[in-house]
Amino acid sequence: MKVLPSTARPYKQTPVFDETTVPVGLLNSHSTKEGVWAKVIVIEGELTYRILDPIVEEVILTPECFGVVEPTVKHEIVPTQRVRFYVEFFRVWNEPAT
């Protein structure tokens, strides 16, 4: 599974979605902008997270297992049952020189 860089800091979060309120755009292939990372956090239930590029990788997300979205990488989600989740967005900040 992918990991966030140690210098990634959150800057925005979506509302909590469920299987009936998830935006259509998240269900189809999409990506974050250059420099933007994201974490898909499941509060309840399960969600399938598919990384579509460069190779297809599928991960079942649960409250114990979140998904990491890398910048510009195509991905999509599929609610597989009752689910509540949100997405938190991150940017990488350079550490000051010491």
Side-chain angles (χ1 to χ4, degrees), residues 15-30:
V16 173
F17 302 118
D18 66 26
E19 68 280 359
T20 65
T21 61
V22 58
V24 174
L26 297 182
L27 301 173
N28 301 303
S29 177
H30 65 284

Side-chain angles (χ1 to χ4, degrees), residues 8-41:
R9 300 293 178 257
Y11 72 92
K12 183 168 70 169
Q13 179 178 308
T14 68
V16 173
F17 302 118
D18 66 26
E19 68 280 359
T20 65
T21 61
V22 58
V24 174
L26 297 182
L27 301 173
N28 301 303
S29 177
H30 65 284
S31 64
T32 58
K33 295 179 182 178
E34 183 70 40
V36 175
W37 292 74
K39 190 158 65 167
V40 182
I41 301 169

Side-chain angles (χ1 to χ4, degrees), residues 81-95:
Q81 59 175 266
R82 181 176 165 92
V83 67
R84 291 179 54 235
F85 73 98
Y86 63 94
V87 181
E88 191 171 25
F89 296 93
F90 293 77
R91 287 197 179 106
V92 173
W93 303 102
N94 292 328
E95 294 288 334

Side-chain angles (χ1 to χ4, degrees), residues 7 14 32 36 41 55 57 63-65 70 82:
T7 57
T14 68
T32 58
V36 175
I41 301 169
I55 60 169
E57 181 181 345
E64 295 79 29
C65 177
E70 295 177 295
R82 181 176 165 92

Side-chain angles (χ1 to χ4, degrees), residues 64-85:
E64 295 79 29
C65 177
F66 61 84
V68 173
V69 179
E70 295 177 295
T72 73
V73 172
K74 298 282 187 189
H75 62 281
E76 63 188 12
I77 60 166
V78 180
T80 54
Q81 59 175 266
R82 181 176 165 92
V83 67
R84 291 179 54 235
F85 73 98

